[in-house]
Amino acid sequence: MTRAALVEQIKIKKSFLCVGLDTDMTKIPTHLLDDEDPIFSFNKAIIEATEDLCVAYKPNIAFYECYGAKGWQSLQKTWEILPKNCLSIADAKRGDIGNTSTRYAKAFFDQEISGLGFDAITIAPYMGHDSVIPFLDIPDKWSIVLALTSNPGSKDFQNFTNASGVELFEYVLDKVKEWGSPENTMFVVGATRGEGFLKVRQHVPDHFLLVPGVGAQGGSLQEVCQYGMNKECGLLVNSTRGVIYASDGEDFAERAREEALKLQKEMQIELERAEIILAQ
């Protein structure tokens, strides 16, 4: 999916919602556990209930690879049914030396080799350019690079300040944007970092940001939009637990849709306020 196609979908659906598919066998409804592939059954129902309300899906790869071969089969089947008008993100957080990153890129981007053809992958950049470039070298794919996350340990490194007063995450933004462009590179910025978006936008005003942490993790959608939205929206706001685990009963898909619809309506208001779409 190109940047232009992504922006078009945001305007059509009046949404910049990304639904995370962190599918946990201990949390899915018990009536699915007797299915041949409970993870896929759960994902399929969630996707069918929300595909008109979101512009991206983000399977967290750890929730699949922990089950070995069966988990990878569930992941492949899930990828195959992801709507083509939604950005598909492999939340793999890969980051290794060049020849290893080349194989990771093939694993998630090269359908002929691996059976998977995701549009995007999350990357940890801390081994430098040779850990990122192999992903950027794949045409028509996105690299989503960790920048400013909201986990408790993020301050251990990301806010380290050098003698010039530049924080490490700022240096990462400046360096990575030299390797790619707003057409193939995004950055992960946690929703609970609030005004940190102001600093991020000083460095990468035009790039899309993938924003986890809205909803169950306490991030404010309004604050994210106030500080992080740009003229083309420039945001993919992820919600996982608040949507997919809205219910653990047989109505789980219907409840997921209800929660996704609430977020979509809030996002529509923000898009109208920013004059990215016309007010209804």
Side-chain angles (χ1 to χ4, degrees):
M1 178 176 282
T2 65
R3 180 189 177 95
L6 178 57
V7 172
E8 181 183 17
Q9 286 302 309
I10 289 170
K11 292 178 178 179
I12 290 172
K13 295 183 176 179
K14 303 178 178 63
S15 171
F16 44 98
L17 176 62
C18 173
V19 172
L21 297 173
D22 301 12
T23 308
D24 188 338
M25 287 280 283
T26 67
K27 293 182 179 179
I28 66 176
T30 55
H31 73 276
L32 296 177
L33 296 179
D34 291 331
D35 288 7
E36 180 181 355
D37 188 341
I39 291 175
F40 175 71
S41 295
F42 179 83
N43 288 350
K44 184 174 185 291
I46 293 291
I47 292 165
E48 290 176 348
T50 60
E51 61 182 296
D52 62 320
L53 303 173
C54 65
V55 297
Y57 287 97
K58 184 176 70 64
N60 185 327
I61 303 306
F63 285 81
Y64 301 86
E65 61 188 354
C66 70
Y67 295 110
K70 288 184 177 180
W72 279 99
Q73 290 170 4
S74 299
L75 178 64
Q76 181 174 348
K77 288 161 62 179
T78 296
W79 173 78
E80 289 172 351
I81 65 166
L82 291 178
K84 299 307 178 188
N85 63 357
C86 292
L87 187 77
S88 59
I89 302 170
D91 189 7
K93 299 182 181 70
R94 297 302 196 248
D96 209 323
I97 60 173
N99 60 354
T100 306
S101 286
T102 297
R103 270 62 184 182
Y104 281 141
K106 290 181 182 297
F108 292 101
F109 288 161
D110 194 329
Q111 186 181 355
E112 290 186 6
I113 289 179
S114 68
L116 297 172
F118 280 94
D119 296 314
I121 187 171
T122 55
I123 302 171
Y126 289 97
M127 289 187 73
H129 74 279
D130 51 334
S131 67
V132 177
I133 295 299
F135 299 98
L136 291 171
D137 282 343
I138 307 297
D140 305 318
K141 300 293 183 180
W142 290 89
S143 296
I144 307 179
V145 180
L146 299 174
L148 186 62
T149 62
S150 54
N151 58 297
S154 63
K155 295 181 177 63
D156 291 344
F157 299 115
Q158 294 168 22
N159 295 109
F160 174 80
T161 304
N162 67 15
S164 301
V166 177
E167 293 183 82
L168 180 56
F169 82 87
E170 296 179 271
Y171 185 82
V172 168
L173 290 169
D174 286 339
K175 183 60 68 173
V176 173
K177 74 179 182 182
E178 295 175 3
W179 306 335
S181 76
E183 301 293 329
N184 67 354
T185 312
M186 303 186 191
F187 294 95
V188 177
V189 181
T192 57
R193 299 303 290 260
E195 294 188 20
F197 281 90
L198 287 175
K199 272 193 174 181
V200 170
R201 280 307 188 198
Q202 290 172 6
H203 295 271
V204 287
D206 299 322
H207 288 71
F208 263 84
L209 307 178
L210 175 62
V211 185
V214 166
Q217 296 180 47
S220 163
L221 177 64
Q222 290 72 30
E223 193 172 75
V224 168
C225 294
Q226 178 183 353
Y227 298 119
M229 186 173 278
N230 64 22
K231 62 184 180 181
E232 288 189 309
C233 180
L235 298 171
L236 293 176
V237 171
N238 182 79
S239 181
T240 299
R241 286 173 287 173
V243 171
I244 69 173
Y245 298 131
S247 170
D248 60 1
E250 294 190 8
D251 65 342
F252 74 96
E254 290 82 1
R255 290 290 306 282
R257 179 173 180 79
E258 290 174 8
E259 295 304 314
L261 183 59
K262 289 177 187 177
L263 286 168
Q264 183 273 321
K265 292 300 184 186
E266 292 178 30
M267 290 176 176
Q268 180 176 344
I269 291 170
E270 298 298 331
L271 290 168
E272 291 173 352
R273 181 177 290 133
E275 298 184 346
I276 293 168
I277 62 173
L278 295 176
Q280 298 298 304

